Amino acid sequence: MKKAILPRALAALALGSASLFAISAASAKEITIWCWDPNFNVAIMKEAGAIYSKTHPDVTFNVVDFAKADVEAKLQTGLVSGVTDSLPDIVLIEDYGAQKYLQSFPGAFEPMSGTVDYSKFAPYKVKLATVDGQTYSMPFDSGVTGLYYRKDYIEAAGFTPADMQNLTWDRYIKIGKTVLEKTGHPMMGLDPNDAGLIRIMMQSGGEWYFTEEGDLNISGNAALKAALETEAKILQSGIAKPAAGWSNWVGTFTSGDVASVITGVWITGTVKATPDQENKWGVAPIPTLDIPGAVDASNLGGSSWYVLASSGVKSEAVDFLNEIYGKDVDFYQKILTGQGAVGSLLEARDGPAYAVADPFFGGEKIWQKFADWLAKVPSLNYGIFTNEVDAAVASQLPGLGKGGSVDDALAAIEEQARSAIQ
């Protein structure tokens, strides 16, 4: 009799264990995330997931690394087809494309306004992901811009680091001419077919290709006109070394050819990747446009995280983003140190990593500088056709470099842009 009881007991125990395992498996949640750049976005998201899993062991993360173009293509295909089973739970979207997705696919993304305290973030990052009073993103990395300059070159030309502060663009060009004359080094590398510098200058002037209402803003755009005039001066002055494409542009400063770089903070790691240039670089605010209201801070690039409304774990996904990216100041110190990521959570600026003196930049606290500039970046509506208008702008830049009329360029940009967005 006892022999019969034992197998039954073991069977019951096994059944109970199997039931517990099934319950545990059923309660486990996996969050799938699409993003690009294994050394930056992917690595940072894996770190965020590891931190969250310590207090939420039932949540796991599947971070999928695609090329940026592939993320955009797969997301677009899934949203257009309505086959949401193929979509992730969280996706990274570049800020310039945010409004296009939000307005083209209403209801596709989960609003986070009721959960995330957006007052803690850089205002410009919040605004670009807001539609009809609802904000949909978890703001992530900033493209806050700066002027990186070679101290040795500008000093050889008779200037000091103090001369690189509070610059106007005209003054920057004048310094560049002297640097070129005295040292033989062009002041900057510039791709005459890329409109990135135009976007930097235009946003610093408080305007964009579109109005706050989303209407095309070209002919009456004072900041765009000033930016085009400024780039024309740069191209015609001879202070810029022409660069065709990303690799050639990067090579202008990693090789030591040029005296300065004006772009987003994300370039810092690339600047620091040339060890023999240590202690030769400084950082200053970007030059200011000569128009009312212009500031010495702007943005280039940057991206944010979005939760798909179709996700079966959207509540967990929102909670994860809010707990780590929305509140964890220590996390921001870690990704600043590890990946050079300047996040847009403003209170992270008070963390210890931002106060560290960087020996590569001669002991300057460069992260604190970028964090301070971050809060000054003008908030704009990027609209849904930034890329299309950007292409129209880029097509006019070579002609401006040869002395073409800025007014004629503006007219051509407007005509091409209206044709492209109809």
Side-chain angles (χ1 to χ4, degrees), residues 318-363:
V318 170
D319 184 71
F320 156 63
L321 291 175
N322 190 42
E323 287 300 311
I324 305 302
Y325 290 90
K327 299 177 182 178
D328 192 338
V329 171
D330 290 339
F331 166 70
Y332 283 97
Q333 311 308 302
K334 185 171 291 188
I335 65 175
L336 179 69
T337 302
Q339 284 79 33
V342 174
S344 45
L345 184 70
L346 295 176
E347 64 185 78
R349 299 178 299 171
D350 298 325
Y354 283 84
V356 171
D358 193 323
F360 188 90
F361 292 92

Side-chain angles (χ1 to χ4, degrees), residues 169 188 190 194-202 231 234 262:
W169 281 101
M188 68 190 310
L190 185 61
D194 183 272
L197 187 60
I198 296 294
R199 292 198 302 275
I200 290 173
M201 290 189 281
M202 179 171 56
E231 182 146 342
I234 291 172
I262 297 176

Side-chain angles (χ1 to χ4, degrees), residues 147-150 153 169 172 176 180 185-194 196-198 200 231 234-235 238-263 267 281 300:
L147 163 59
Y148 301 76
Y149 64 92
R150 286 288 297 260
Y153 294 168
W169 281 101
Y172 171 83
L180 180 61
H185 290 284
M187 192 61 172
M188 68 190 310
L190 185 61
D191 185 343
N193 295 296
D194 183 272
L197 187 60
I198 296 294
I200 290 173
E231 182 146 342
I234 291 172
L235 291 169
I239 69 166
K241 179 176 182 177
W246 171 263
S247 296
N248 285 341
W249 176 73
V250 168
T252 64
F253 57 88
T254 57
S255 66
D257 283 351
V258 302
S260 70
V261 182
I262 297 176
T263 193
I267 205 66
W281 286 92
L300 184 67

Side-chain angles (χ1 to χ4, degrees), residues 152-235:
D152 51 344
Y153 294 168
I154 66 115
E155 288 170 358
F159 301 102
T160 69
D163 292 315
M164 302 303 291
Q165 309 296 318
N166 303 312
L167 291 176
T168 63
W169 281 101
D170 284 344
R171 177 62 177 163
Y172 171 83
I173 293 169
K174 187 174 181 179
I175 290 174
K177 289 179 178 179
T178 302
V179 169
L180 180 61
E181 178 188 349
K182 296 288 184 66
T183 71
H185 290 284
M187 192 61 172
M188 68 190 310
L190 185 61
D191 185 343
N193 295 296
D194 183 272
L197 187 60
I198 296 294
R199 292 198 302 275
I200 290 173
M201 290 189 281
M202 179 171 56
Q203 183 158 4
S204 76
E207 293 195 80
W208 198 250
Y209 298 138
F210 302 92
T211 66
E212 290 301 309
E213 294 72 34
D215 297 323
L216 193 63
N217 180 30
I218 304 297
S219 59
N221 187 329
L224 175 57
K225 183 174 184 178
L228 291 170
E229 290 172 341
T230 300
E231 182 146 342
K233 290 178 183 178
I234 291 172
L235 291 169

